[in-house]
Amino acid sequence: MAVYAGKVVVVTGASQGIGKALCLELASIRPRLVLAARDGAALETVAALPTTGRRIAVLGEMRELGKSSERYHREIGEFAATCKLDVLVCVGPNAAMIADAAGKSGMDPKVISTFVDAPSAAPAVRKLAKKNDLVLLKASRGI
């Protein structure tokens, strides 16, 4: 695994199984980890991983939730506020509900940002992420 030291490593399926185990193993050699996942357990993984940098979550809106959309967006924001995040980036029209709920649940509004879509968020996230930061990317495929 030493070959990954100092490199950028993107891990998909980072919230469970092999993906989570790989994240935990890689964390000890300090590559720049970017985690990609499709469920809330990914936030727990980010909170559990050791890092000398910041914990950054880039959460895109969740699509195809129907009538439950608002509830689930607010729940993930509330949950994000409990996950030791240093920065929360919310992407998509419905992601503003994530940001709002995180702020109302105790996360400092100064570390929360929202963007209407991925093309507008990407340059900001690139500028924001620094060496040793741990970055989680979580969104519906449409984002």
Side-chain angles (χ1 to χ4, degrees):
M1 292 269 186
V3 69
Y4 299 112
K7 306 283 185 183
V8 175
V9 179
V10 178
V11 179
T12 60
S15 61
Q16 56 191 335
I18 294 171
K20 183 175 182 177
L22 181 60
C23 289
L24 294 170
E25 181 69 25
L26 286 170
S28 66
I29 60 167
R30 301 272 188 249
R32 190 167 180 190
L33 281 176
V34 177
L35 312 179
R38 292 180 51 198
D39 65 26
L43 288 168
E44 291 174 330
T45 300
V46 168
L49 285 172
T51 182
T52 58
R54 298 170 301 163
R55 288 178 174 84
I56 301 171
V58 181
L59 304 180
E61 71 175 3
M62 299 171 282
R63 296 189 173 171
E64 300 177 9
L65 296 176
K67 296 176 191 175
S68 301
S69 180
E70 182 174 352
R71 184 182 101 204
Y72 288 128
H73 282 92
R74 293 201 179 279
E75 283 179 7
I76 200 73
E78 292 165 0
F79 184 59
T82 70
C83 290
K84 298 190 217 174
L85 298 175
D86 298 297
V87 179
L88 176 61
V89 178
C90 303
V91 183
N94 290 317
M97 290 183 276
I98 298 171
D100 180 63
K104 287 179 179 174
S105 297
M107 186 172 231
D108 183 351
K110 294 176 189 166
V111 301
I112 303 170
S113 55
T114 58
F115 295 90
V116 70
D117 56 24
S120 63
V125 172
R126 253 192 315 274
K127 190 175 181 180
L128 178 71
K130 305 290 185 220
K131 184 177 180 176
N132 297 322
D133 286 349
L134 184 60
V135 181
L136 167 68
L137 305 173
K138 181 194 167 310
S140 291
R141 290 182 183 164
I143 293 291

